[in-house]
Amino acid sequence: MKNTILSLAIIVSSLFSQNAYDVLRPFWGFEHSQILSNSIGGATVASGYITPGLSSNPANLAATQFGYMQINFSNSEFSSISSNISNTGFNGFDYVQPVPVHRGRLVFSIGGHKQIDYMSASENSSYDFSEKGKLSSYHIAGAVEFAKNLYLGADFKLLSGGDEMTMSNNDQTYYFKPRYSGSSFTVGLLHVLSKNLQYGVSIDMPTSLNVEELYTESDHVNGDLSFSETYNYNVKKPLTFHSGAAILLKSVNFFYELEYTDWRSLEFSSDDIYEADLELPASVVINNEIRETFSSTTSHHFGFAMRVPVLPVHLFAGYQILPVPFSNQYDNNLRESFSFGCSVAIKKNVTLQASYDNYIWNYDGSPENFDKISIGVSLHEIPGI
């Protein structure tokens, strides 16, 4: 996730060449999943049947015993002291279907989601800055009961999207429009130790994105100095490791997930981009800059769910501790997130869902935040194939 100052640093440093932050940028926004996963703070690596559909562990699908479909929409807003920017639209859908088998379970899922929001805005004495974009995923997943109470799963995603950034003053406008396309693959395990306790482990394999970045510099004083250029390169995110556990009681559930990424292993590559001497590939310098600039992060996700007595209502809450992989941008190099959600059964097989996610951080003592409200509907107990 970027705050305004980081985004400005990326823009200014990119005026002359690609850099380490260009490699981080496609993977560093406000990450999301489906409503129930968001509601428990993304602590889904061992959530099992509680979060049918997309989660950080595809093995959870095998714990789903009925057909399930959901669709949701959202409104997002980034706010700082000087500016704010918002976006409303489609957020995602999931379809989950168990397949009858002779023994154990076999479950498949397809879906599409807004995986990352790119959003920020600011004003200062030198420039006005705005950013808006998204990275979407379209996935197909499957999970199987490999042994009694031991589930294995895999999820393949096609990724596409883009970002749009503008920085301007009275004399100049800098405009960036990168487009992203690529894929990712996740494998996972869920082990149910008892009816009250289970743990999960999953790994996001290295994610590769092709980037086509349009850069335009417009000089309002001397039009002859204006120009436009398109850069093509590839960025690769290192693997991400997830592990955690869930305690499932009669009316309340507790979830925890640890998420680890070594951002020093980010990678840049291009056959077309060289240093100023036109001899040394830019990848040599940029990948060395990545190792010197970034660090590994260990995020912590906590979730809670409860069933309201008598009423057909479930309540959810989550909290996330989200370190950043760079220094001197956020106070304490840290962000936090709070989330709340609910589901209300309006008919036997129809449920309304809603969630609220709030990301907060400080830059140099000044608060900034990102809010997202999602509303959706789910159908469950869909007849099998």
Side-chain angles (χ1 to χ4, degrees), residues 124-384:
N124 59 38
S125 59
S126 300
Y127 291 98
D128 294 339
F129 174 79
S130 66
E131 175 188 18
K132 183 184 289 189
K134 66 178 180 179
L135 183 69
S136 298
S137 70
Y138 306 91
H139 77 102
I140 180 169
V144 62
E145 186 173 12
F146 181 76
K148 185 177 180 181
N149 294 326
L150 179 63
Y151 308 119
L152 303 178
D155 187 304
F156 175 74
K157 296 184 180 72
L158 293 175
L159 305 173
S160 67
D163 203 356
E164 190 171 6
M165 295 161 281
T166 303
M167 186 171 71
S168 63
N169 58 23
N170 291 332
D171 297 330
Q172 294 173 309
T173 295
Y174 303 110
Y175 176 72
F176 286 79
K177 190 176 182 180
R179 299 292 303 172
Y180 308 128
S181 62
S183 62
S184 66
F185 185 68
T186 301
V187 294
L189 172 152
L190 177 68
H191 189 191
V192 179
L193 299 175
S194 71
K195 68 177 183 178
N196 301 124
L197 181 64
Q198 58 196 35
Y199 71 88
V201 176
S202 68
I203 298 175
D204 301 327
M205 297 303 181
T207 300
S208 180
L209 290 177
N210 296 314
V211 182
E212 182 181 280
E213 182 177 286
L214 170 66
Y215 169 63
T216 301
E217 184 173 326
S218 178
D219 192 300
H220 307 318
V221 178
N222 185 353
D224 292 337
L225 298 179
S226 301
F227 73 95
S228 183
E229 185 70 53
T230 299
Y231 302 94
N232 293 280
Y233 53 93
N234 180 271
V235 295
K236 182 180 289 186
K237 177 188 174 184
L239 66 81
T240 295
F241 175 78
H242 308 258
S243 65
I247 298 174
L248 308 178
L249 304 177
K250 184 176 181 180
S251 298
V252 297
N253 305 310
F254 302 92
F255 311 94
Y256 170 73
E257 177 174 332
L258 177 149
E259 179 181 350
Y260 174 83
T261 305
D262 186 355
W263 295 99
R264 294 168 296 186
S265 296
L266 275 170
E267 186 177 327
F268 172 94
S269 62
S270 175
D271 295 330
D272 304 320
I273 302 176
Y274 288 80
E275 291 301 300
D277 60 9
L278 300 181
E279 296 292 336
L280 185 67
S283 58
V284 175
V285 175
I286 293 174
N287 289 331
N288 185 60
E289 182 186 357
I290 288 170
R291 290 187 289 270
E292 294 177 349
T293 303
F294 300 137
S295 61
S296 61
T297 58
T298 301
S299 302
H300 302 277
H301 308 259
F302 303 88
F304 169 81
M306 69 169 292
R307 184 181 63 189
V308 177
V310 182
L311 300 176
V313 176
H314 289 78
L315 302 178
F316 308 90
Y319 172 65
Q320 303 178 63
I321 301 173
L322 305 168
V324 301
F326 43 82
S327 302
N328 304 318
Q329 298 289 339
Y330 295 81
D331 287 5
N332 302 317
N333 300 323
L334 188 70
R335 303 154 296 145
E336 296 176 280
S337 173
F338 299 87
S339 57
F340 304 95
C342 68
S343 65
V344 180
I346 58 174
K347 289 185 177 181
K348 180 179 180 180
N349 299 336
V350 181
T351 300
L352 295 180
Q353 302 174 343
S355 67
Y356 170 72
D357 307 294
N358 175 233
Y359 292 81
I360 57 173
W361 64 93
N362 286 333
Y363 177 80
D364 195 23
S366 298
E368 297 180 339
N369 67 86
F370 174 85
D371 299 294
K372 183 170 185 175
I373 298 174
S374 301
I375 298 176
V377 61
S378 68
L379 308 176
H380 51 90
E381 297 182 11
I382 301 172

Side-chain angles (χ1 to χ4, degrees), residues 110-123:
I110 59 172
H113 293 268
K114 184 195 296 183
Q115 182 166 311
I116 300 177
D117 267 310
Y118 309 117
M119 189 176 294
S120 58
S122 70
E123 296 178 5

